[in-house]
């Protein structure tokens, strides 16, 4: 069970963050509304939600999932792969220190938390444009010391590993067809995403509830079969910045 979530408010300059999306310029007031609804959903699941102030020097900093990784007994401040995001971790560190011993990924290693998928006590480490082999090797060592197993997975398309696969409970992965063939995931039950709904891969499993992005009926119907409560959230403005539901919090 998760008891806490760390979040950060999007700043007025959040639209200056990195994006490859062609969905248009996002709206500040709307993202604030969507972020508030997200925090409320986390609270409704029993989590204590910590809200940090926006960081004007880092327009992507409300994607708190990338500069840190929290495991049951460790917090890792990563070195994000995008130079404009390196440094976001320094204001997370004092908060995380209240809950976990904190360790670091050091350059030239880079790791984005969006590439790290925890399934029970095993970690899949995506090798992507943001997470390099050196960073993955450093993380694997830190995880091993903390008693976790891990393996790397090549991310051939999409920003992060968790842009294409997430754990949705009941030993099941919600996964794109391109990642489903990866031998790393052979042992798991899989729900395959329809090619028209791949954005819905970024569904967040918390305390036996699924938070999923609004507007993906085929995925909703497939997830319904798991028999869990599903909450849909509108994240239109977050998507315009290449983000999603998992990116906006650190759960532990
Ligand atoms: C970036 O490109 O770094 C941000 N605009 C989006 C990060 C999304 N994070 C995530 O999926 N974990």
């Amino acid at each position: 069970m998760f008891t806490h979530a760390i979040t950060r408010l999007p700043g007025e300059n959040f639209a200056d963050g990195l994006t490859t999306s062609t969905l248009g310029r996002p709206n500040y007031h709307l993202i604030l509304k969507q972020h508030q609804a997200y925090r409320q959903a986390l609270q409704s699941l029993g989590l204590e939600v910590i809200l940090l102030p926006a960081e004007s020097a880092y327009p992507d900093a409300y994607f708190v999932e990338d500069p840190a990784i929290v495991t049951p007994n460790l917090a890792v401040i990563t070195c994000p792969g995008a130079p404009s995001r390196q440094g976001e971790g320094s204001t997370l560190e004092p908060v995380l220190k209240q809950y976990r011993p904190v360790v670091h990924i050091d350059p030239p290693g880079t790791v984005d938390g969006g590439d790290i998928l925890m399934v029970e006590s095993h970690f899949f480490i995506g090798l992507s444009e943001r997470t390099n082999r050196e960073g993955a090797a450093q993380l694997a060592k830190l995880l091993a010391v903390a008693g976790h197993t891990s393996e790397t997975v090549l991310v051939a398309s999409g920003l992060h590993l968790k842009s294409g696969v997430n754990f949705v409970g009941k030993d099941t992965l919600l996964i794109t067809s391109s990642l489903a063939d990866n031998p790393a995931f052979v042992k798991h039950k899989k729900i395959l995403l329809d090619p028209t709904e791949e954005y819905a891969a970024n569904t967040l499993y918390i305390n036996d509830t699924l938070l999923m992005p609004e507007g993906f009926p085929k995925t909703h119907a497939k997830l319904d079969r798991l028999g869990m409560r599903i909450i849909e959230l509108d994240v239109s403005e977050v998507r315009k910045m290449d983000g999603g539901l998992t990116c906006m919090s650190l759960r532990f």
Side-chain angles (χ1 to χ4, degrees), residues 17-19 60 62-63 65-66 82 85 112-115 130 159-160 162-163 202 241-244 246-247:
L18 302 168
T19 188
D60 275 321
Y62 62 103
F63 293 124
E65 178 178 69
D66 296 317
R85 303 199 58 189
D112 271 20
D115 280 318
R130 300 286 179 89
L159 179 60
H160 289 129
K162 284 189 283 190
S163 315
N202 204 256
M241 299 310 298
D242 281 352
T246 70
C247 326

